[in-house]
């Protein structure tokens, strides 16, 4: 009864999602944020998961809110768990990337100009070699592109350490890739 509770006093981890959306032309949906220190970099649309929201629903919602593109959930293709990113609320961050497909053949983008500076469909091959991107987004897209070149099914894109997880642009301590059983570093299915 005098033993202190071991439960955290407050939430200490936020959950974010990114949507890797491909259309029928094998173009990837990308955005540039309006209010970010990296606003000139292309990135996957995404954001934070709402309370009680499933990851797949959050990814589709964020894509729709930011770009107006309706998408279909295919799979979770990657996640990473980081500590003390120094961002919002000084919390840990779990970031899931969901593989989505554009729900229609129309490639029209109607982006939220209050939140998004620019949005485009870019050929996947061009994006994987684009310099002005978020490094982790490019690595994940590159794995999808590599799987397409090998004509393999991208259900387990990073094969336990095959990707070195060179997170040189990330401002936190990193750990080696895992095989999908640990929640640290770069873990992908």
């Amino acid at each position: 009864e005098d033993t202190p509770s071991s439960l955290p006093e407050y939430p200490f981890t936020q959950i974010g999602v990114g949507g890797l959306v491909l259309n029928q032309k094998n173009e990837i949906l990308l955005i540039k944020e309006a209010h970010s220190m990296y606003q000139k970099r292309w990135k996957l649309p995404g954001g934070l998961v709402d309370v009680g929201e499933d990851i797949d629903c959050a990814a589709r919602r964020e894509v729709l809110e930011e770009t107006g593109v309706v998408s279909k959930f295919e799979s979770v293709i990657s996640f990473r768990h980081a500590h003390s990113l120094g961002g919002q609320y000084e919390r840990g961050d779990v970031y899931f990337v969901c593989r989505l497909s554009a729900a229609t053949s129309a490639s029209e983008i109607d982006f939220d100009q209050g939140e998004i500076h620019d949005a485009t469909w870019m050929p996947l091959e061009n994006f994987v070699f684009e310099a002005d991107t978020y490094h982790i987004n490019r690595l994940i897209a590159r794995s999808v592109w590599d799987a397409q070149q090998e004509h393999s099914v991208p259900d387990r894109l990073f094969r336990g350490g095959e990707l070195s997880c060179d997170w040189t642009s990330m401002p936190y301590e990193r750990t080696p890739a895992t095989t999908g059983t640990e929640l640290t570093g770069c873990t992908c299915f």
Side-chain angles (χ1 to χ4, degrees):
E1 291 157 33
D2 289 343
T3 306
S5 172
S6 61
L7 295 175
E9 294 180 28
Y10 53 85
F12 58 91
T13 302
Q14 65 184 15
I15 301 175
V17 293
L20 193 152
V21 184
L22 293 177
N23 65 16
Q24 292 178 344
K25 298 177 191 174
N26 207 36
E27 295 170 323
I28 188 170
L29 181 61
L30 301 169
I31 64 165
K32 289 183 179 180
E33 295 177 317
H35 307 287
S36 167
M37 59 189 212
Y38 301 112
Q39 69 187 27
K40 295 185 179 183
R41 289 187 179 176
W42 290 113
K43 67 177 285 255
L44 301 175
L48 295 177
V49 175
D50 290 337
V51 174
E53 186 176 33
D54 292 332
I55 291 166
D56 61 322
C57 295
R60 289 185 294 118
R61 175 186 52 77
E62 284 289 343
V63 166
L64 181 62
E65 287 176 0
E66 293 181 354
T67 68
V69 173
V70 176
S71 60
K72 177 183 173 221
F73 176 79
E74 301 291 339
S75 65
V76 172
I77 58 173
S78 173
F79 75 93
R80 110 37 214 113
H81 183 202
H83 302 281
S84 302
L85 288 176
Q88 194 174 23
Y89 314 120
E90 292 292 324
R91 304 287 185 249
D93 182 65
V94 178
Y95 175 66
F96 289 87
V97 176
C98 296
R99 168 68 177 88
L100 307 171
S101 56
T104 65
S105 59
S107 295
E108 195 166 316
I109 299 172
D110 181 22
F111 63 90
D112 176 359
Q113 294 182 3
E115 186 177 351
I116 307 302
H117 173 72
D118 197 5
T120 192
W121 288 103
M122 182 184 292
L124 180 59
E125 181 176 3
N126 293 4
F127 179 68
V128 300
F129 297 108
E130 174 70 38
D132 293 327
T133 65
Y134 283 83
H135 187 66
I136 186 64
N137 286 183
R138 190 173 60 246
L139 288 175
I140 295 165
R142 175 66 189 257
S143 295
V144 171
W145 185 74
D146 286 345
Q148 289 177 347
Q149 302 313 300
E150 297 169 9
H151 304 289
S152 63
V153 178
D155 62 347
R156 186 171 174 217
L157 298 177
F158 301 111
R159 295 167 185 88
E162 182 177 307
L163 178 67
S164 66
C165 284
D166 177 15
W167 298 43
T168 55
S169 64
M170 301 303 278
Y172 56 87
E173 193 74 25
R174 61 186 183 272
T175 57
T178 64
T179 59
T181 57
E182 299 172 40
L183 292 177
T184 311
C186 177
T187 305
C188 305
F189 302 96

